[in-house]
Amino acid sequence: MKLDEKIISKAIITRYYQKILSHLQVDVAIVGGGPSGLVAGYYLAKEGHRVALFERKLSVGGGMWGGGMLFNEIVVQEDAKEILEDFGVRVQPWEDAGYYTADAIESVCSITSKAIQAGLTVFNCISVEDVSVEGDRITGLVINWTPVEMSGLHVDPLSIGASFVIDATGHDTEVVHMVAKKAPGKLMTPSGDIEGEKFMCPDEAEKKTVENTKEVFPGLYVAGMACNATFGGPRMGPIFGGMLLSGRKVAALISQRLK
Ligand code: 48H
Ligand code: FE2
């Protein structure tokens, strides 16, 4: 068989369009493909919800690839170990102290693969630049190609609709910033605005991450590092249990509301 470059192009274009057209309205739109966003996507898709994840970069994985200071191992604590095991990631106990380590690359790849096979659809190289709001509720995302954002070209975006949005953008908590800018004082935080991330304190930070995994504006939830950045909690350094637990918690909270 003689391979034809036009058929190859047509196959790629058609399949991509089918994929994006079938996600113009979703149950849940996740912004950010770090550990918390991927884990949330997995548990939501597994429950049968239509879920799209938008990631600015070419690759998902966020801050997990680099472990701590590029030493590509991650650490999780006892209560998060079962989440890694759900994804088939091999964990090793560390000194019987309730800590476990896992290879960072295996973690990203296994979580991503399992999430997509469970039904999560990932759109990479797309940046979320704004949100749609009707009344006082989030109704969707405003998206554009990352290369458009990077080059500073004046190209207007497209939109997708979502019953719920998860801000899993990490330290920058970008979606919450977009909302806070256009609806000052309206967040469900103590001050009504972004409280900001505090100094490193792993023990408190990990607990607070899970506690702060909640709705911050009608229809908008935070997961992962965005939780403490939004509600005011410390950072934790290179321990990833809180990110995984937060992803699983946000999926359960939204799943409950979709029923
Ligand atoms: C599309 C976007 C946009 C946008 C950002 O930073 P992440 O890994 O996020 P989490 O919260 O799942 O994990 C945090 C963890 O990696 C970490 O930094 C920890 C534990 N730090 C502790 C410490 O003390 O430092 O991933 C966020 C992802 C990235 O891939 C971004 O590219 C992406 O979100 N993203 N995607 N549109 N507007 N903004
Ligand atoms: Fe970080």
Side-chain angles (χ1 to χ4, degrees), residues 30-44 51-53 111 115 120 166-169 223-224 243-244 246-247 250:
I30 302 171
V31 187
S36 67
L38 289 168
V39 167
Y42 167 72
Y43 288 109
L44 283 162
V51 196
L53 184 154
I111 291 172
L120 172 70
I166 302 174
D167 182 339
T169 63
M243 302 300 116
L244 310 176
S246 172
V250 80

Side-chain angles (χ1 to χ4, degrees), residues 238-249:
I239 179 159
F240 281 81
M243 302 300 116
L244 310 176
L245 291 161
S246 172
R248 188 174 67 179
K249 179 179 171 185

Side-chain angles (χ1 to χ4, degrees), residues 32 34-36 55-56 62-63 128 168-171 174 225 235-237 243:
S36 67
E55 167 54 50
R56 170 178 282 138
V128 172
T169 63
H171 296 274
E174 290 199 20
M225 205 59 233
R235 63 188 298 187
M236 66 292 293
M243 302 300 116

Side-chain angles (χ1 to χ4, degrees), residues 67-118:
M69 214 177 129
L70 289 181
F71 292 16
N72 64 1
E73 285 282 322
I74 62 160
V75 171
V76 298
Q77 59 276 51
E78 191 74 50
D79 50 353
K81 174 181 154 248
E82 65 181 32
I83 301 182
L84 281 181
E85 287 171 344
D86 267 1
F87 288 96
V89 176
R90 294 165 304 167
V91 294
Q92 275 186 278
W94 178 256
E95 290 184 345
D96 293 327
Y99 297 86
Y100 296 83
T101 62
D103 183 87
I105 313 303
E106 179 180 346
S107 302
V108 174
C109 295
S110 301
I111 291 172
T112 306
S113 163
K114 201 101 196 265
I116 292 172
Q117 283 174 1

Side-chain angles (χ1 to χ4, degrees), residues 10-34:
K10 187 176 177 187
I12 291 172
I13 293 166
T14 307
R15 287 284 185 250
Y16 189 84
Y17 274 91
Q18 286 169 344
K19 199 152 61 178
I20 196 139
L21 279 175
S22 63
H23 288 84
L24 284 184
Q25 177 66 44
V26 292
D27 296 321
V28 188
I30 302 171
V31 187

